Amino acid sequence: WYYLLGQCRHDRLTIPVWSYFSLAFSGDSARLAIADDDHIEIWDLGGGNRINRWQAHPTRLHALAYSPDGKRLASGSYHDEDTNTPGECILWNAKTGELIERLSGVEYTISALAFSPDGKWLAAADGGRYSLNEVPTTVRIWDAQTGAPVKQLGQFDRGIPSLAFSPDSQSLVAAGNESLRMWNLETGESLPVG
């Protein structure tokens, strides 16, 4: 929170939302994306005002990530077992809120998202304990420009709350329940951690 407040030109930034589950800074730190239930809000941190809001998913959002150039925003949502509505992963125009691509292959809940630093890949954690039944979590990779599925990288028995790319965009690490796994993105080969 203190970092967020430091990015503002006001003594305090008040964002009136009922419940936010995910936040993402644009690469230039000028904008903040907020997952507000099933809506996405974009806030201008310099002026302290909301500049866009749109309905994003039929179920609650769980993850957000800006592309490195700030032009795209990825969002991921919950799988709702009560209505049998699957989770989704969607690429948006970060400025207009226009849907660019609904990514294929999502089976459960998107619990984490990350763009590679070079902007080539989008990684998502799909599954976990975000519903009544725990399901294995699969790490999925899409081409961030076309939205085409590229590969799946292993599974965790439980949820994955965090994904991170290496600075050279060659490796991806996933943090799960008391475990870390890392992969070479070119080969899909598992790499030692630590």
Side-chain angles (χ1 to χ4, degrees):
W1 232 178
Y2 291 111
Y3 177 76
L4 174 61
L5 292 174
Q7 294 298 310
C8 302
R9 293 188 188 141
H10 301 285
D11 291 334
R12 188 167 117 166
L13 175 66
T14 302
I15 301 175
V17 292
W18 291 104
S19 111
Y20 44 88
F21 208 81
S22 185
L23 305 168
F25 273 108
S26 60
D28 61 3
S29 298
R31 292 173 309 285
L32 178 69
I34 299 172
D36 179 16
D37 197 28
D38 57 357
H39 286 76
I40 294 173
E41 294 188 354
I42 306 296
W43 285 75
D44 170 30
L45 295 177
N49 54 347
R50 185 175 70 192
I51 56 177
N52 203 348
R53 176 181 165 87
W54 67 89
Q55 169 83 35
H57 295 270
T59 61
R60 192 165 83 160
L61 277 95
H62 195 275
L64 291 172
Y66 264 104
S67 62
D69 63 7
K71 293 180 180 178
R72 292 176 176 222
L73 182 69
S75 65
S77 65
Y78 277 96
H79 170 89
D80 185 335
E81 290 183 350
D82 293 336
T83 62
N84 201 28
T85 304
E88 297 178 307
C89 188
I90 297 177
L91 287 175
W92 306 94
N93 178 310
K95 186 175 181 179
T96 66
E98 178 183 342
L99 189 147
I100 295 171
E101 186 76 31
R102 193 176 309 272
L103 303 178
S104 64
V106 175
E107 295 179 358
Y108 297 103
T109 291
I110 299 297
S111 60
L113 290 167
F115 278 95
S116 60
D118 63 6
K120 185 176 179 181
W121 311 113
L122 173 64
D126 178 10
R129 187 179 183 153
Y130 299 101
S131 58
L132 296 175
N133 301 311
E134 185 149 358
V135 296
T137 301
T138 301
V139 176
R140 301 186 187 284
I141 307 291
W142 290 278
D143 181 304
Q145 298 305 310
T146 67
V150 175
K151 60 182 71 175
Q152 295 181 41
L153 300 172
Q155 284 191 333
F156 279 68
D157 291 336
R158 296 179 179 250
I160 297 174
S162 185
L163 295 167
F165 282 91
S166 60
D168 64 4
S169 301
Q170 298 300 307
S171 302
L172 177 72
V173 66
N177 188 26
E178 300 178 12
S179 65
L180 291 173
R181 289 180 66 187
M182 186 164 56
W183 297 272
N184 175 300
L185 288 173
E186 191 66 35
T187 65
E189 178 183 355
S190 185
L191 300 172
V193 178

